[in-house]
């Protein structure tokens, strides 16, 4: 896809989302789930997402989803408080209030941030896990986060986190989506809802100090003393997200030199430069969206950015710029494996099958076990929860890891600890993560990586998602013998919903998009850019030949 000529620049006022129109659409537009499949509830890798303007994220959706979650909790005898968070998207506040009205009408105790503040995704996961560590019997907790992550300002999202703290698995989300759609088809008959006065009178809203609860525990997962002792200068761009009020308490509690370079919160996100396609997207792994912080890179030792719900991280190194997310994952894994002495030697390190092969080489060089899973952080929840997986990372700049003592921290992506880890790495090693990555390149080779979108019909997407490895009859790819063709992840044998083909020095993976009429191709070569281009050409031809059968 061609780079938009305005990429990296601020949007003009006429291109900003029309907030009155958006909020009116949330309440006025009614989904027609029997006539339009695009208006049904659908949980992807990170919950249900959409926009009120396209009637894919409206009050009716949230009423149905919240009721379905309340019924699921009851069926599982989960009677502890539900931890509820929201980010700074315009639709998040409305969806938050809708969710509260349904949960309380169903008798659910709801813990929300004191004074109505924002609550990041990892903070909800952390709160669930710390609660359940002390809970007994049916007093177990779970959570909901109202967020579409880094999606554009007009979008909304809602995701359910199970009692294990992380994204609910497919069995749960399929149940919730099926029940929610049934409620929508029945014109919401069966949905219980309180008025604002009834919510207030219910006594079921429990204000909770998420900020101090999370901040005071950070020293058990990050070496905060090392960062303070070395006086690492940290620049932070919250990108108008839900972590905006966490950085000052972190700096104060641990004596860190942290400068928040942008304290604005505005649901139009007018201060975020346009992404590569010209849209505003709060993607902290995009050099276009991160232009504001990149201009300040030499003012700090480490600079970091996060998306609106703080489950992603962007790492900026002085003198270099924004790190490739795959590169930072490889460095983080090597550093943690060498500096978390209480972690067992046989503990697993997790990667998605579309993450860089550099991670495979680094983990193998460390003599540690690798667990390769499909796309979606939900595949890491069980391993991190029970302490058999030390680290789980995604190529899209999301990751989390265990506490120093090898017990669980979060089972959802945590942008705070990945950001602070970059400062710890510099403090302890004296080298920033980019410098350490170049040392990995010298040892293991330099990877060339890209992701592209290819137009596909719904029928073709369905074919791609149902492929069998035997459908690949070719023996060579880009001049090398094919060593594997996978439709199931080697780490857990779960279906990947697509295909991954590997050679000694390259690979590609193709999987259908859950929201657009495209399939995504991920490619990597350890030879050259020219070899990567050859991989792309042959990958497209191979997928086309398979789809044509």
């Amino acid at each position: 896809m061609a780079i938009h000529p305005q990429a990296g620049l601020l949007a003009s006022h006429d291109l900003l989302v029309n907030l009155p129109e958006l909020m009116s659409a949330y309440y006025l537009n009614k989904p027609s789930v029997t006539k339009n499949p695009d208006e049904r509830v659908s949980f992807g890798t990170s919950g249900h997402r959409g926009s009120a303007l396209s009637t894919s994220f409206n009050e009716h959706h949230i009423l149905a989803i919240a009721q379905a979650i309340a019924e699921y909790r009851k069926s599982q005898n989960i009677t502890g408080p539900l931890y509820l968070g929201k980010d700074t998207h315009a639709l998040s506040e409305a969806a938050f209030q809708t969710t509260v009205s349904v949960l309380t009408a169903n008798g659910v105790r709801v813990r929300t941030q004191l004074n109505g503040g924002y609550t990041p995704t990892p903070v909800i996961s952390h709160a669930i896990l710390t609660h359940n560590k002390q809970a007994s019997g049916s007093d177990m907790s779970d959570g909901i986060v109202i967020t579409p992550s880094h999606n554009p300002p007009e979008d909304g999202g809602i995701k359910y986190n199970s009692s294990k703290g992380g994204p609910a698995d497919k069995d749960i989300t399929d149940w919730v989506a099926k029940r929610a759609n049934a409620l929508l088809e029945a014109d919401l008959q069966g949905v219980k809802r309180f008025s604002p006065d009834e919510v207030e009178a219910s006594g079921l809203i429990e204000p909770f100090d998420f900020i101090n609860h999370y901040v005071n525990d950070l020293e058990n997962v990050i070496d905060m003393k090392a960062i303070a002792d070395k006086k690492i200068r940290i620049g932070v761009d919250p990108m108008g997200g839900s972590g905006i009020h966490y950085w000052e308490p972190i700096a104060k509690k641990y004596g860190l030199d942290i400068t928040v370079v942008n304290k604005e919160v505005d649901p139009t996100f007018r201060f975020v430069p346009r992404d590569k396609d010209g849209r505003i997207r709060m993607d902290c792994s995009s050099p276009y969206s991160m232009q504001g912080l990149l201009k300040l890179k030499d003012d700090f030792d480490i600079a970091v950015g996060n998306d609106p719900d703080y489950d992603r991280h962007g790492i900026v190194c002085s003198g270099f710029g924004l790190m490739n997310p795959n590169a930072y994952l490889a460095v983080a894994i090597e550093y943690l494996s060498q500096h978390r002495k209480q972690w067992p030697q046989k503990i697993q390190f997790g990667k998605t099958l579309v993450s860089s092969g550099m991670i495979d080489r680094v983990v193998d060089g460390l003599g540690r076990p690798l667990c390769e899973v499909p796309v979606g952080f939900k595949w890491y929840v069980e391993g991190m929860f029970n302490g058999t997986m030390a680290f789980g990372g995604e190529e899209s700049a999301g990751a989390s890891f265990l506490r120093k003592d090898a017990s669980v921290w979060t089972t959802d992506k945590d942008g705070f600890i990945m950001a602070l880890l970059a400062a710890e790495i510099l403090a302890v090693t004296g080298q920033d993560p980019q410098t350490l990555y170049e040392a990995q390149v010298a040892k293991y080779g330099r990877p060339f990586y890209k992701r592209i979108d290819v137009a596909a019909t719904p029928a073709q997407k369905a074919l791609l998602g149902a492929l069998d490895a035997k459908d690949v009859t070719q023996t060579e790819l880009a001049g090398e013998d094919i060593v594997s063709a996978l439709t199931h992840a080697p780490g857990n044998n779960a279906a990947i919903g697509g295909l991954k083909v590997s050679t000694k020095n390259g690979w590609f993976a193709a999987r259908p998009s859950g929201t657009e009429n495209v399939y995504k191709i991920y490619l990597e070569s350890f030879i050259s850019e020219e070899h990567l281009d050859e991989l792309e050409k042959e990958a497209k031809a191979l997928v086309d030949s398979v789809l044509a059968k």
Side-chain angles (χ1 to χ4, degrees), residues 202-374:
S202 71
L204 292 169
I205 302 299
E206 302 176 357
F208 187 78
D209 187 356
F210 282 104
I211 295 177
N212 283 324
H213 183 259
Y214 179 86
V215 169
N216 291 342
D217 205 10
L218 276 170
E219 62 188 351
N220 293 307
V221 68
I222 294 290
D223 190 345
M224 305 298 270
K225 185 176 185 301
I227 300 171
D229 287 349
K230 290 298 174 68
K231 297 180 171 55
I232 303 299
R233 297 171 300 144
I234 305 170
V236 175
D237 185 353
M239 298 185 81
S242 59
I244 184 76
H245 296 132
Y246 282 71
W247 290 106
E248 185 176 331
I250 289 173
K252 184 176 180 181
K253 165 75 176 176
Y254 298 105
L256 303 189
D257 183 353
I258 293 176
T259 301
V260 177
V261 303
N262 180 7
K263 297 182 179 181
E264 285 193 79
V265 175
D266 181 337
T268 66
F269 292 93
R270 56 181 171 76
F271 45 79
V272 176
R274 298 161 75 175
D275 204 357
K276 61 183 179 181
D277 60 357
R279 300 184 70 187
I280 296 176
R281 188 178 288 105
M282 293 66 72
D283 183 356
C284 51
S285 68
S286 165
Y288 304 100
S289 301
M290 287 278 278
Q291 275 300 304
L293 188 60
L294 285 169
K295 291 175 181 177
L296 304 173
K297 64 181 173 60
D298 296 329
D299 294 349
F300 305 101
D301 301 315
I302 290 287
V304 298
N306 299 95
D307 66 335
D309 75 316
Y310 266 66
D311 68 349
R312 296 187 182 211
H313 57 272
I315 307 301
V316 176
C317 296
S318 176
F320 172 77
L322 182 65
M323 285 194 74
N324 179 288
N326 277 301
Y328 184 54
L329 293 182
V331 170
I333 287 171
E334 183 163 21
Y335 173 83
L336 288 167
S337 72
Q338 296 170 338
H339 294 85
R340 295 298 187 264
K341 302 303 183 183
Q342 295 185 60
W343 288 6
Q345 182 67 25
K346 293 184 178 181
I347 202 164
Q348 293 181 320
F349 288 80
K351 60 162 281 196
T352 58
L353 55 82
V354 297
S355 298
S356 174
M358 176 65 89
I359 296 171
D360 303 58
R361 298 183 180 200
V362 167
V363 174
D364 182 64
L366 293 166
R368 298 293 190 115
L370 180 74
C371 182
E372 189 171 13
V373 301

Side-chain angles (χ1 to χ4, degrees), residues 26-39:
Y26 175 79
Y27 293 105
L28 296 177
N29 290 3
K30 313 298 183 189
S32 178
V33 296
T34 55
K35 295 180 180 179
N36 192 343
D38 292 339
E39 295 178 6

Side-chain angles (χ1 to χ4, degrees), residues 395-449:
E395 81 296 336
S396 55
S400 189
F401 50 90
L402 298 182
R403 294 170 182 263
K404 296 175 186 176
D405 67 1
S407 64
V408 66
W409 170 254
T410 63
T411 49
D412 212 331
K413 295 172 285 189
D414 191 331
F416 285 112
I417 64 170
M418 290 301 292
L420 291 165
L421 180 66
E424 179 189 330
I425 289 171
L426 177 58
V428 172
T429 69
Q431 297 178 300
D432 66 33
Q434 182 63 36
T435 302
L436 293 175
Y437 179 67
E438 292 304 326
Q440 289 182 334
V441 167
K443 184 175 183 180
Y444 298 111
R446 183 176 299 279
F448 301 89
Y449 182 99

